[in-house]
Amino acid sequence: MKVTAAKRFILVPVIYLAVIFGLIFLQFSKSGGFTEKAGALVVTGSPAAAQDDRKVPITAIRVVFGGIEFPFSRDDELMVDSGAKNQSQYILQGFSVNPDGVSLIFTGGVRLRFSAPSGGDSLAVRADSTDATVSRIALPFSLSRGWGISKDDKSGMLTLKSSGTKFELRAAEGASIDPTKRVVRLARSNDAFGSVSMQRTTETAALNLSQFIDQNAADPAVFAKGLAAYLDASYTGWKSARFSSDAGWSFPGGKTSFNEKTLAALLAEARRRGEYGEVRASLGDLISNNRERLTYFSNPLIGNIVRSTQVMFTQDRDDIQKLQAQIKNKDASLFERENLVHFVLDRAPYALAQDTLSFAGGLDAQQPVRTAVGLLGCLIEGKQLLADADDPFLKLDGVVEKVIVPAIKKTQSGFFLQTDGTDSDLSVSIRAGMLLIAFGQQTGKPIFTGIGQSLVNSAVSIASDNGFLPARITIQGNLVSDRTGSLAPELVYPLISGNPYYPHEVSFAHDAAPGVWAWTSSLDFKLESGANPMVFASRFPNGETYFVELHGIKPFKNIQLYEKDFRSDPDFERYDSSGWVYKEETQTLYLKLRHKADIERVRLFF
């Protein structure tokens, strides 16, 4: 009897599937359980008593790596924070194995992924969900016999140890590890869940720059030109492709909404391109309909500075309390905050500034990658704001060669900083790139400038047409194997644009005193004299208007604009002219400056 090619095409995979299911059945029926290797993971479980519509017939499963165990059972619900009414929908459904790890599947669209490439040096734990209401997932864990978990008093680093073997445990943004309750929490951040990782620690090897041999620094103008295509795509998206005059801007997943960071990026870039008037006019109704949603952040561009600044004061108090708690708990992740040195010198109590600098003075350069990037940021800030004798970050420049550069992975898609095991948080990778550029320029070492440029160029090269990047990528070997979440171009923009029209802080801690600072979008806002009178000079296009807050200003007798005395007017923001008001209780001077020349001066007489 002849078998046609079409029938053979159908029969062969059917036979293979039958064999596979037969082996699974035999394994389950003989042993009552199963054990599988998935990369460096050991996966053990118990089969279900009967076959049904489950994807894999299991009642319990345990994922084990290097002394840490994650148990799951069909009888126990996954601990999930969700807006869903029926919490019981999040129960174990099945699993799938791949060469580098295992994925656990739960009803309700939740998936947990454990990745541990062969070799046993690292583990990454990630989550995703098709249910948008899921905001946080909690994973209980236990330790294998002979293993212990501890927290370093100086750095706050969590380590897992057993008879000479040591792993560092790291939590990415949106994730946390509770060593007391033995639970890992993964929360949504930038449209993706935070992740945790384990990394085997070894003695620091000598820095090998051979993979960067071709990374000589490009001329700044050449580097800027290389970013132009990305900025053009982002600007087109903000201005038209993603824009709706009624609703705001579109985002992945079909959502359209108003977003202050998008607004600020669009207006700043329009100002730089000489298109501000046209773009601002197109946004009139959208801004008016969302004015109550605007905060202090955009007020140098939009105004409403007196009311919106109250939000900043409240947020600052919350941030101060968080930093105080982190110092008390010896949590070095506090140094991951952007512009930390500016904040503690200008917007926090003197005692917190001293405690922060003292904490930094007790650290060494061997830190988690994210913390190392933050410390490099503090080093760059400290060079601008601190005297060398008072700067504890100078001795931490070793984070570059000991931590950051060794964590950079060369792939077929370019260079990326591995921030969490095999994962790269692209916002951190881009920030590290920009800081390495500044570090190379400060130290006269162009190799680091070139490496930084490669990190930035590699990240933006994988952007979508409208400038969106994946929030995280996974690197296996020299390949980018997975992309998760979404990083909007308006969040990348302040990292890479170098646009002074974008709202930013200017500190006068060095030139005047800690606590004196400006929130501005001026091309250049500087203190020309700290005596009496105190003179601030602003550079901005002639005929244009913007707003500025000056903090830490003591009560004064008189103020001059255009070299003339100017009276205070509480309604100054309503008029198409310059004006000001002063709040003594917060020592804040609010200004609206309409430039009659490229440089205008504000004189304060005491």
Side-chain angles (χ1 to χ4, degrees):
M1 172 177 156
K2 294 184 179 180
V3 179
T4 66
K7 290 182 179 180
R8 187 181 297 110
F9 180 78
I10 296 172
L11 286 173
V12 170
V14 169
I15 293 171
Y16 273 112
L17 288 173
V19 171
I20 291 171
F21 282 115
L23 290 173
I24 292 175
F25 176 79
L26 289 172
Q27 181 183 12
F28 288 164
S29 61
K30 289 181 178 180
S31 66
F34 63 88
T35 299
E36 291 198 32
K37 287 279 290 180
L41 296 172
V42 176
V43 182
T44 64
S46 302
Q51 302 286 338
D52 56 18
D53 61 353
R54 301 182 185 107
K55 293 182 179 178
V56 177
I58 57 173
T59 58
I61 198 167
R62 182 177 294 266
V63 180
V64 183
F65 174 86
I68 193 168
E69 304 180 12
F70 295 91
F72 302 92
S73 169
R74 285 187 59 88
D75 297 327
D76 297 318
E77 300 173 8
L78 186 67
M79 292 184 287
V80 171
D81 288 342
S82 170
K85 293 182 180 179
N86 183 11
Q87 294 292 312
S88 63
Q89 65 179 303
Y90 304 105
I91 59 175
L92 181 65
Q93 184 182 30
F95 75 101
S96 61
V97 174
N98 61 67
D100 289 327
V102 62
S103 293
L104 305 187
I105 305 162
F106 296 80
T107 52
V110 175
R111 181 186 297 266
L112 300 178
R113 294 178 295 154
F114 297 80
S115 301
S118 300
D121 289 332
S122 66
L123 166 71
V125 183
R126 311 176 191 84
D128 57 67
S129 174
T130 58
D131 184 351
T133 67
V134 175
S135 59
R136 188 173 67 169
I137 300 171
L139 314 179
F141 67 87
S142 61
L143 302 182
S144 304
R145 183 183 299 274
W147 287 82
I149 191 170
S150 61
K151 184 176 182 179
D152 186 86
D153 289 336
K154 288 186 177 181
S155 66
M157 169 70 72
L158 287 173
T159 57
L160 195 65
K161 299 179 183 178
S162 176
S163 61
T165 302
K166 178 179 176 182
F167 290 89
E168 292 179 348
L169 284 77
R170 304 167 182 174
E173 179 182 358
S176 64
I177 304 170
D178 188 331
T180 304
K181 295 182 178 181
R182 303 282 173 87
V183 64
V184 167
R185 296 181 177 89
L186 309 178
R188 283 191 189 271
S189 175
N190 289 332
D191 295 328
F193 285 89
S195 63
V196 298
S197 63
M198 286 175 55
Q199 184 70 45
R200 187 190 302 272
T201 61
T202 58
E203 293 297 322
T204 302
L207 178 64
N208 179 12
L209 293 175
S210 60
Q211 65 168 319
F212 305 110
I213 195 67
D214 297 325
Q215 304 312 120
N216 292 322
D219 181 271
V222 175
F223 174 63
K225 186 176 181 181
L227 295 181
Y230 176 78
L231 295 175
D232 288 345
S234 301
Y235 183 62
T236 299
W238 299 328
K239 184 180 176 182
S240 56
R242 295 172 51 200
F243 179 64
S244 165
S245 59
D246 296 328
W249 292 271
S250 62
F251 292 86
K255 179 182 178 182
T256 300
S257 63
F258 177 81
N259 185 284
E260 187 177 26
K261 295 294 180 68
T262 313
L263 175 68
L266 171 56
L267 289 176
E269 187 64 17
R271 176 81 73 182
R272 180 158 68 176
R273 293 173 181 242
E275 300 176 1
Y276 181 84
E278 170 195 343
V279 170
R280 180 65 176 82
S282 71
L283 295 168
D285 290 342
L286 184 66
I287 292 173
S288 297
N289 295 336
N290 292 277
R291 190 165 289 278
E292 293 301 315
R293 301 175 64 183
L294 296 174
T295 71
Y296 78 94
F297 181 82
S298 62
N299 66 34
L301 301 163
I302 303 300
N304 200 26
I305 59 177
V306 178
R307 184 195 65 82
S308 64
T309 304
Q310 299 306 313
V311 178
M312 183 197 73
F313 292 141
T314 300
Q315 182 177 314
D316 281 359
R317 285 193 293 269
D318 293 342
D319 289 347
I320 287 168
Q321 291 178 357
K322 179 180 179 181
L323 291 174
Q324 289 170 333
Q326 287 177 303
I327 291 174
K328 181 180 179 180
N329 295 329
K330 304 294 185 183
D331 181 1
S333 67
L334 75 92
F335 295 102
E336 297 170 18
R337 176 191 173 113
E338 291 186 41
N339 301 314
L340 175 67
V341 180
H342 279 80
F343 183 84
V344 297
L345 289 181
D346 291 330
R347 299 160 66 173
Y350 176 79
L352 179 58
Q354 295 304 302
D355 289 345
T356 302
L357 298 179
S358 177
F359 185 17
L363 298 177
D364 58 35
Q366 200 64 50
Q367 299 293 330
V369 175
R370 291 172 176 271
T371 305
V373 173
L375 288 170
L376 178 57
C378 292
L379 172 63
I380 302 299
E381 285 186 273
K383 293 288 286 184
Q384 303 168 358
L385 302 176
L386 298 170
D388 287 354
D390 301 325
D391 189 349
F393 302 105
L394 292 175
K395 71 178 184 63
L396 294 172
D397 60 351
V399 296
V400 173
E401 298 192 22
K402 293 181 178 180
V403 180
I404 296 175
V405 171
I408 296 173
K409 185 73 172 179
K410 185 177 182 180
T411 74
Q412 291 184 354
S413 300
F415 293 87
F416 300 95
L417 179 73
Q418 291 184 307
T419 53
D420 311 290
T422 58
D423 277 10
S424 175
D425 181 326
L426 287 191
S427 65
V428 179
S429 188
I430 292 170
R431 184 189 178 202
M434 297 304 295
L435 291 173
L436 285 170
I437 291 170
F439 179 75
Q441 292 169 345
Q442 281 189 358
T443 59
K445 298 179 179 179
I447 182 65
F448 296 119
T449 298
I451 294 171
Q453 291 171 340
S454 294
L455 284 177
V456 176
N457 284 331
S458 298
V460 301
S461 72
I462 62 173
S464 69
D465 291 343
N466 288 327
F468 281 91
L469 299 171
R472 298 182 181 89
I473 62 172
T474 300
I475 299 170
Q476 300 289 355
N478 69 338
L479 298 175
V480 174
S481 63
D482 198 11
R483 307 181 186 201
T484 57
S486 176
L487 180 62
E490 45 268 39
L491 301 180
V492 176
Y493 186 78
L495 296 175
I496 68 172
S497 69
N499 185 356
Y501 291 125
Y502 192 80
H504 60 280
E505 178 179 342
V506 178
S507 175
F508 302 110
H510 187 270
D511 298 325
V516 181
W517 61 283
W519 185 245
T520 179
S521 60
S522 170
L523 278 172
D524 186 24
F525 197 90
K526 62 184 180 181
L527 181 66
E528 289 187 339
S529 171
N532 190 6
M534 178 179 275
V535 181
F536 294 93
S538 168
R539 186 162 63 91
F540 206 69
N542 189 2
E544 299 290 337
T545 303
Y546 80 103
F547 300 83
V548 61
E549 301 170 15
L550 277 170
H551 295 268
I553 303 298
K554 295 180 179 180
F556 51 89
K557 295 178 180 179
N558 189 29
I559 183 172
Q560 285 188 348
L561 303 176
Y562 314 120
E563 300 185 0
K564 297 178 181 179
D565 293 349
F566 245 72
R567 291 184 178 182
S568 176
D569 184 344
D571 295 324
F572 74 101
E573 293 190 64
R574 298 173 56 186
Y575 308 125
D576 189 22
S577 61
S578 296
W580 64 278
V581 72
Y582 177 73
K583 299 293 184 181
E584 184 173 350
E585 61 271 25
T586 59
Q587 294 193 343
T588 307
L589 174 61
Y590 300 94
L591 287 160
K592 181 178 182 179
L593 291 176
R594 183 170 180 81
H595 274 240
K596 297 181 179 180
D598 289 340
I599 297 177
E600 296 288 0
R601 290 176 174 81
V602 180
R603 293 178 171 85
L604 304 178
F605 296 85
F606 298 89

